[in-house]
Every structure is written in C-alpha cells, then in structure tokens.
Amino acid sequence: MKTALIEALKRWSGAAFDRGRALLSGDRLFDLRVEASTLRGAARGVRQAWYAIELELDETGEAPRRARCTCPAGADGRCKHVPALGLAWATTPGRFTVLTGIEARLHRRSYEELVSMVALMVRTHPELEALTLAPVPGGHREAPSVTRWRTVADDVFRRHGDDWTAVAGLVRELESVRSLGDDFNRQGERAHAAALYEGLMDSVVANASRFPWPDVRSRFRAMVEQCVQQLPGRPAARQALATLESLPLLTPRRSPKSIAAA
C-alpha cells in the first residue's frame, strides 16, 4: 500500500477525498490504465454514463502533480473521481493495465490501421474532424495560420456551449489543442507553434465573457498565460492577458454542494 500517496491525495482533494473513497468501495471505477507517471480511468456517473479521469503523479510517484476529470466539478482535478483513481492505484495497482507511450503504440500500427483508427475516432467523436483539417507536428503542407487555429478553438467553444456543466469538457479539449503547440515546438516548428498559441489565446479572450465564474476564469487565465509565455516580445499577447483580467466576474450559478454531487 502506498501510504505516502494516500496522505498526499487527502491534502490534494480536501473534502472530496472521503467521497472518493466511498466511490472506490462502490466499485464504480473501470478501464484503469497507467502510463509512466500518469493514471487514467473511467467512473460510472450519475448525470451521464461515465466520466474520464486522469491523474499525473510527481517524479516520486507519491503526490499528485496535476489532474482532471470530465465531470462538472473536475476541470481542476479536485472532484471525488480523482482521489478514487489515486486510491485504486495506491491500494490495488494490479487492477491497472500498464501501457507504453502512445507514440510507440501508433508506430507499431500500419498505415491502413492508422487511417481506419482515425476514421473510427472521427465517427465516434465528430468534434475531432476539425483537427484532421489542421496542420500537425511533422507535416509541412501549409503555412502557419493564426486564423486556422482561432477557428479550431472557436469551434470548441461553440460545440460545448456556456452551461456550467459543459465547462470540464470545454477546458479539457482546449488544453488538448494547446498541447499541440508544445508538440510543434518539440519538432522545431516554431512558426506553427506560435500561430496555434496566438489563435487559441485570441479565442479564449474573445469567448471568456460568457464564463463569468472565478474558478473557470482562472483556468482560462492559466491557459492564456501559457500561450503568452510562448510568445515573448509580442505586446499583443500581454494585452490579451490584460483584457482577460479586466472582464467582470460573477458568483457561480450552481452551489458548490450541487457541483460536488456530480
């Protein structure tokens, strides 16, 4: 039993820890996987069929570094599903399937298998189709375009809407788009990375006024800050952050109790 991890999960999750432990005993977790220091799994939900959970541990493997969940309370990883996933790893690691890196798994697939896999993903998740039209790291078929990435991010906002319960999925998808910028940078494609960061930043600032809740706005601010850090020397980037911070805030439309019950 990983005692140090359990104690760290208590500090990380606060009041959600006991609810997570009850979730674990209720056997609502399934599809448990571990890849390097990242735990992933799913939990049977109440408002929808299931929620996807992800928990990244620090280099010691004894404390959370970051987490997220697709439930309404899980955008920052402080919901009950995250401690449940961590507790499962700390107490019964044999339930987890050990995975190699996604890149290694994809490299083992043939071209035909990859095409079929992408087509299946798009049929299952139609929102992914926009990414099949955008540049990808390692490809050189078109010039960098801020407008293209602004459109991709605007489409994410449009699909999810502005209801409180849609926030977790919205933030998760926007962060996935942002991570593509990091992939471009790792490939040395700085211009494509910069175009992505700028397009995403512009979209977040333009749409943020529809989400006046402090906790959601803090996630947007962190995302814009990450983009700004990758756009040094661009006054427009700093201005975007200032514009975001100037937008008015409201109290949440849902009470913390109703959110935690998700």
Side-chain angles (χ1 to χ4, degrees), residues 12-39:
W12 170 275
S13 304
F17 180 83
D18 287 337
R19 295 195 299 275
R21 182 160 49 193
L23 184 72
L24 181 66
S25 63
D27 195 30
R28 287 170 59 186
L29 296 181
F30 63 98
D31 193 21
L32 303 181
R33 293 155 285 148
V34 56
E35 182 176 332
S37 61
T38 301
L39 310 175

Side-chain angles (χ1 to χ4, degrees), residues 212-261:
W213 311 294
D215 54 344
V216 180
R217 195 68 63 74
S218 69
R219 295 301 300 273
F220 288 164
R221 186 183 191 283
M223 197 176 303
V224 170
E225 282 182 334
Q226 290 174 315
C227 293
V228 169
Q229 290 170 6
Q230 298 295 333
L231 298 168
R234 298 197 186 188
R238 288 290 172 187
Q239 182 58 46
L241 186 58
T243 300
L244 180 64
E245 292 178 332
S246 70
L247 297 175
L249 293 171
L250 298 175
T251 54
R253 291 188 292 185
R254 287 176 173 266
S255 68
K257 181 177 179 180
S258 66
I259 296 171

Side-chain angles (χ1 to χ4, degrees), residues 134-146:
V136 294
H140 304 280
R141 293 184 175 85
E142 60 183 87
S145 170
V146 174

Side-chain angles (χ1 to χ4, degrees), residues 12 37 55-60 62-67 78:
W12 170 275
S37 61
L55 171 60
E56 181 183 339
L57 304 178
D58 66 8
E59 59 278 358
T60 69
E62 296 181 345
R65 171 176 286 159
R66 61 179 63 88
R78 308 285 174 169

Side-chain angles (χ1 to χ4, degrees), residues 115-125:
V115 170
S116 297
M117 187 182 301
V118 171
L120 175 60
M121 288 178 176
V122 171
R123 286 198 299 271
T124 307
H125 302 282

